[in-house]
Amino acid sequence: MPEDKPDRTGSLRTAVARRITALRQEKGFSLSGLAARAGIGKGTLSELEAGTRNATLETLYALAGPLGVPLTGLVGDETGRSVSDGVVDARLLTVRLHDDGGTTEVFWLTIAAGGTRTSPPHAPGTVEHLRVVRGSARVGPQGAEQPVDAGGPRSWPGDTVHCYRSTDGAEGVLVIETPRRPA
Amino acid sequence: MPEDKPDRTGSLRTAVARRITALRQEKGFSLSGLAARAGIGKGTLSELEAGTRNATLETLYALAGPLGVPLTGLVGDETGRSVSDGVVDARLLTVRLHDDGGTTEVFWLTIAAGGTRTSPPHAPGTVEHLRVVRGSARVGPQGAEQPVDAGGPRSWPGDTVHCYRSTDGAEGVLVIETPRRPA
DNA sequence: GCTTGCCGTTCCATATACAGAACACTTCAA
DNA sequence: TTGAAGTGTTCTGTATATGGAACGGCAAGC
């Protein structure tokens, strides 16, 4: 299959294609099975996953249901508030406010390869938890950073000066728990 | 103009239509002006905004640029789709696709007090990680559930039948990692 | 009045996304 | 072997999304 299209939106197309394929396989569906569940032709899905088709909104919506993701999960060019300084990018996924006044924030964290970032203390009692899913990093109170990689999560107090660093780059989920509302 | 379509995705269509119109007017663009900026036919945009057309991904992407929003801003959150059965509510926060073909999904999980839920196996090699921030739960392969509370996270294989249960209710962050699909 | 220049809508010919059939291939059981 | 039941890909006729042209409406200038 020659791939010599001008490729203006081609990258988007292949991105969506990869997303669909990944989600389908994750759910354990066959191509034919997903097509049937979504109520679309299997040829349609085949070419969609091959990136040779420019799907309509209707088709994508039909696929989103069985795949168990919102439409944004398919077209997903990620957006949302993100704090980035070139080294650490923290994209806020959600904030939960609890009855006791505490809060839980969930971020998708990306640390650039070779980068180091120092963060000022948060409110007293704050705890940070990082689970790395790709790459590896060293995190924790300044001077006492601990390694963290895909092997397991790491937690550290967030109410002191703390560092994020990575030599080979890292991605993961950062959870920040604040026990009570800051005064 | 027959308006007697079954209208299954009609609501989605009109939702997108309203969004485009609102964003266009917010930006102060005329319909023709936006069509020109996006490089699409003005007839296309007219019918799109009228909700009588089922746009392709390419068309929507072309519009997203001049409107200054990511594609997700057009297709809209719709629902932060949550899979809920009355016991476990899993709200998808993000899906990450990695270069090696693996995926990482992040959910905000709520387990109702006194509830138990059994989940069928996911793809081979899938691993689930749960960090509870409120309440406590027991999770893991069926028959081998382990307690998990605010004290620390718990991980277990997701490719076998597994359970979520909680006596007093629980909330937390669930990370599902799916490895690269073996051929 | 008659332009000129926008606006948004409606029409048209063409390109293409669609569902489904036909296909080649693999696996598995008789 | 043979067949049946899967898989994903390619083909085909139809439906429709597309860009662009034609259209009518409206306002400002001549």
Side-chain angles (χ1 to χ4, degrees), chain A residues 7-18:
Chain A
D7 202 19
R8 294 190 317 137
T9 55
S11 58
L12 171 67
R13 223 185 269 191
T14 56
V16 172
R18 287 181 47 212

Side-chain angles (χ1 to χ4, degrees), chain B residues 3-87:
Chain B
E3 191 62 37
D4 42 355
K5 283 279 185 85
D7 200 19
R8 293 192 317 136
T9 55
S11 58
L12 171 66
R13 221 185 270 191
T14 56
V16 172
R18 278 200 300 265
R19 232 175 284 253
I20 292 174
T21 306
L23 285 167
R24 172 171 69 77
Q25 293 177 340
E26 194 176 303
K27 286 268 181 293
F29 295 156
S30 69
L31 190 148
S32 322
L34 175 58
R37 285 164 206 261
I40 68 174
K42 59 156 111 174
T44 299
L45 181 55
S46 176
E47 292 186 3
L48 245 181
E49 290 195 8
T52 62
R53 205 180 281 201
N54 175 22
T56 62
L57 195 58
E58 229 172 59
T59 302
L60 290 173
Y61 184 71
L63 284 167
L67 289 175
V69 296
L71 201 40
T72 54
L74 291 186
V75 300
D77 350 327
E78 180 75 12
T79 62
R81 165 159 329 193
S82 61
V83 177
S84 179
D85 57 5
V87 173

